[in-house]
């Protein structure tokens, strides 16, 4: 068996590692063609009595099925319903019924709230560690939609895909990555927030994939120098570096040099904030952008497109 140590998106930075790798409740899926059976391991959790399971994409990447081993030793086969590389989430379906399951929290935790991380670090067996929410909205450079919750509960290899609970037993996140110069726990772990997980899971359950909004622009941050040059009071928003030919934004009249300040009246903090907001819109939905051009605000309305797979 060959264990994947880290998620692909963190391989280029030795500080960040998805805590998948060794251990966990042996989520395994074959990879490769004709060679030795390749396995990846991690943690996961049931979200419904009929066997739907949430884990990380990097735990089951390339697999069509998985072996699920419960904490008590019972084992099941599960098929991969769908995966989403951009959020590093995957949805599986186990064979069977009446599984015990957990629910997502309706509200996001506050910084300082206690949390419990559950998983199977280093193959030791079902393990619970405690800590607090250290920060929210972390960008760790893994992709355009980074919005991680940082926790200080001990998370190690084997914890990938396991749940982060609040003190009421509700899932507030999915353990996904660690900051670690040494490769082990140093008290800085990252979890995908429950709101993101819930949204992605619903899409995977319905279509087997995630459809994200797309407006067809390349954007860059608005620095203080740029804001001063174009007459903006505050260095906020997203500057359009280029508009894709025949893309939704170009068709609506947006062009290079425009600065997007708000989406449907909601102000944009920066370029990454715009990417996250647009991605939440369903393709085909009507959207209004507030844009700074030639020293004044203008409004553009158009239909959101579907983000290409690549």
């Amino acid at each position: 068996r060959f264990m994947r140590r880290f998620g692909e998106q963190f391989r280029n930075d030795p500080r960040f590692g998805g805590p998948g790798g060794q251990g966990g409740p042996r989520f395994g899926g074959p990879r490769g063609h004709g060679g030795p059976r390749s396995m990846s391991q991690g943690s996961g959790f049931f979200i419904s009595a009929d066997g739907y399971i949430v884990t990380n994409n990097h735990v089951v990447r390339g697999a069509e099925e998985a072996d699920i081993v419960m904490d008590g030793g019972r084992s099941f086969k599960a098929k991969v319903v769908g995966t989403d590389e951009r959020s590093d989430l995957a949805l599986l379906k186990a064979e069977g019924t009446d599984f015990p399951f957990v629910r997502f929290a309706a509200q996001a935790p506050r910084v300082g709230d206690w949390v419990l991380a559950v998983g199977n670090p280093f193959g030791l067996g079902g393990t619970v560690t405690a800590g607090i929410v250290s920060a929210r909205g972390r960008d760790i450079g893994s992709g355009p939609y980074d919005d991680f919750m940082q926790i200080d509960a001990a998370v190690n290899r084997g914890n990938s895909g396991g749940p982060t609970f609040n003190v009421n037993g509700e899932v507030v996140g999915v353990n996904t990555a660690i900051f670690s110069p040494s490769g082990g726990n140093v008290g800085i772990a990252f979890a995908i927030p429950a709101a993101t997980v819930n949204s992605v899971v619903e899409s995977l359950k319905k279509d087997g994939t995630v459809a994200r909004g797309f407006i067809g622009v390349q954007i860059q941050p608005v620095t203080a120098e740029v804001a001063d040059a174009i007459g903006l009071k505050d260095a906020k928003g997203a500057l359009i570096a280029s508009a894709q030919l025949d893309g939704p934004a170009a068709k609506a009249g947006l062009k290079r040099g425009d600065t997007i300040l708000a989406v449907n009246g909601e102000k944009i903090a920066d370029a990454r904030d715009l990417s996250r907001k647009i991605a939440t819109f369903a393709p085909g939905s009507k959207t209004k952008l507030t844009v700074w051009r030639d020293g004044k605000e203008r409004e553009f309305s158009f239909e959101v497109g579907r983000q290409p797979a690549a």
Side-chain angles (χ1 to χ4, degrees):
R1 292 184 175 185
F2 301 91
M3 311 305 178
R4 173 175 286 124
R5 182 178 181 189
F6 298 135
E8 291 289 344
Q9 64 269 45
F10 303 119
R11 285 181 183 241
N12 294 329
D13 188 336
R15 300 173 302 164
F16 291 99
Q22 303 175 22
R26 292 191 295 282
F27 278 52
R31 294 191 299 278
H33 302 278
R37 192 175 188 218
S38 179
M39 303 289 288
S40 175
Q41 297 188 342
S43 303
F45 55 98
F46 287 97
I47 59 169
S48 66
D50 57 351
Y52 281 101
I53 299 168
V54 171
T55 186
N56 280 142
N57 171 65
H58 74 259
V59 171
V60 297
R61 183 185 288 116
E64 295 181 358
E65 65 176 20
D67 299 315
I68 310 301
V69 181
M70 301 278 278
D71 190 44
R74 296 170 61 199
S75 61
F76 306 89
K77 289 289 185 181
K79 65 177 182 179
V80 178
V81 175
T83 62
D84 181 47
E85 185 172 2
R86 288 184 171 103
S87 65
D88 198 14
L89 290 168
L91 182 67
L92 283 63
K93 180 69 164 61
E95 300 172 1
T97 57
D98 298 325
F99 291 103
F101 64 95
V102 294
R103 291 183 170 86
F104 292 109
Q107 293 184 330
R110 301 165 299 176
V111 173
D113 282 352
W114 282 96
V115 289
L116 304 171
V118 179
N120 194 359
F122 301 111
L124 292 173
T127 300
V128 180
T129 54
I132 63 169
V133 176
S134 304
R136 292 173 52 188
R138 286 294 197 219
D139 173 7
I140 63 174
S142 68
Y145 312 119
D146 278 14
D147 187 22
F148 288 96
M149 177 174 64
Q150 181 183 327
I151 62 175
D152 68 352
V155 170
N156 290 284
R157 280 177 278 165
N159 279 107
S160 270
T164 306
F165 288 102
N166 62 20
V167 293
N168 297 318
E170 301 165 325
V171 177
V172 294
V174 174
N175 308 321
T176 299
I178 57 175
F179 179 96
S180 177
S182 65
N185 169 61
V186 294
I188 301 177
F190 302 98
I192 305 167
T196 300
V197 180
N198 209 10
S199 174
V200 170
V201 164
E202 287 303 312
S203 293
L204 292 177
K205 186 182 294 186
K206 181 181 178 182
D207 303 316
T209 186
V210 179
R212 290 186 170 88
F214 172 76
I215 61 174
V217 294
Q218 289 189 347
I219 51 179
Q220 63 188 55
V222 177
T223 63
E225 292 78 9
V226 168
D228 184 61
I230 62 177
L232 272 177
K233 182 180 178 181
D234 299 313
K236 293 184 178 180
L239 179 66
I240 297 179
S242 65
Q244 179 181 314
L245 186 65
D246 294 328
K251 288 180 179 179
L254 275 75
K255 61 183 182 179
R256 178 180 179 180
D258 288 342
T259 301
I260 301 174
L261 301 178
V263 178
N264 290 338
E266 187 176 349
K267 292 184 178 181
I268 297 299
D270 51 33
R272 184 170 294 276
D273 189 27
L274 175 65
S275 295
R276 285 198 293 251
K277 280 185 169 62
I278 294 298
T280 63
F281 289 108
S285 57
K286 304 294 183 181
T287 307
K288 183 180 295 184
L289 296 183
T290 303
V291 172
W292 184 261
R293 178 190 289 180
D294 298 330
K296 60 182 179 180
E297 291 186 4
R298 303 187 182 191
E299 289 192 345
F300 294 81
S301 298
F302 60 93
E303 188 174 287
V304 174
R306 183 188 182 99
Q307 187 178 100

